[in-house]
Amino acid sequence: MRLGVLVSGRGSNLRNLVELGFDVAAVATNRPSCPAAAFARDRGIALGEFSQKRYGSLQARDAAMARWLQAGGVELIVNAGYDRILSTEFTSQFAGRMLNVHPSLLPAFAGTMHAVEEALAQGVRITGCTIHVVTDELDSGPILLQAPVPVREGDDPESLRARIQVEEHRLLPQAVRLMEARLDKTSSPLG
Ligand code: GRF
């Protein structure tokens, strides 16, 4: 199944999917200079650059990104560290065909870019990661998979995030396979 991956940052989840042999047909980014975009260029994966300054509004940017993903024949979208809220037009256009990776056990620490820092600040003993289907409501769609990660004495955001990412790299491929199996049964085109 042709995947479109949305990225803004390091791109370790993107790299993991590519190295496991998933069909990453398109990578879209709002940050053309991020390491994830550099990885896509290096691997010769189609890269769509949608920096906000090129578009007048969030809706205009997301509409251009949606058209580009559809033109690339993308069948499932993976939001892997995309750091902007997506417009409801975008999320409803791809309803049931978009996954998100969040670095907490949702619904804990939903709606924040700083879930790892907040878990440490709150003193939780167990955090983790969640892979869920994206809906119009931020970080609230149906949960597919979760993994717990214990917080260790002396953890800082970097050390805790590194252990959470080990679990993300294990769960996201499983979640993509689950969605592929589910969508194969319905097989209606995107949009
Ligand atoms: C992940 O930790 C994910 O939970 C969050 O953004 C991060 C992306 O990491 N939404 P990477 O760019 O895939 O390394």
Side-chain angles (χ1 to χ4, degrees), residues 9-13 80-81 101-103 165 168:
R10 282 193 331 131
S12 67
N13 282 287
V101 187
H102 191 76
Q165 286 219 308
E168 292 180 355

Side-chain angles (χ1 to χ4, degrees), residues 20-90:
L20 288 172
F22 284 89
D23 181 9
V24 178
V27 172
T29 188
N30 58 330
R31 299 191 187 281
S33 58
C34 73
F39 173 78
R41 279 186 209 100
D42 277 0
R43 295 295 177 107
I45 302 168
L47 177 68
E49 302 183 12
F50 300 92
S51 62
Q52 185 60 59
K53 61 178 186 288
R54 278 180 54 199
Y55 300 91
S57 66
L58 172 84
Q59 281 75 14
R61 188 258 297 278
D62 283 5
M65 190 159 75
R67 279 194 300 276
W68 182 80
L69 289 162
Q70 281 182 316
V74 163
E75 297 163 284
L76 175 66
I77 294 179
V78 180
N79 185 339
Y82 186 75
D83 67 0
R84 280 289 167 269
I85 290 176
L86 292 159
S87 64
T88 52
E89 289 83 355
F90 190 96

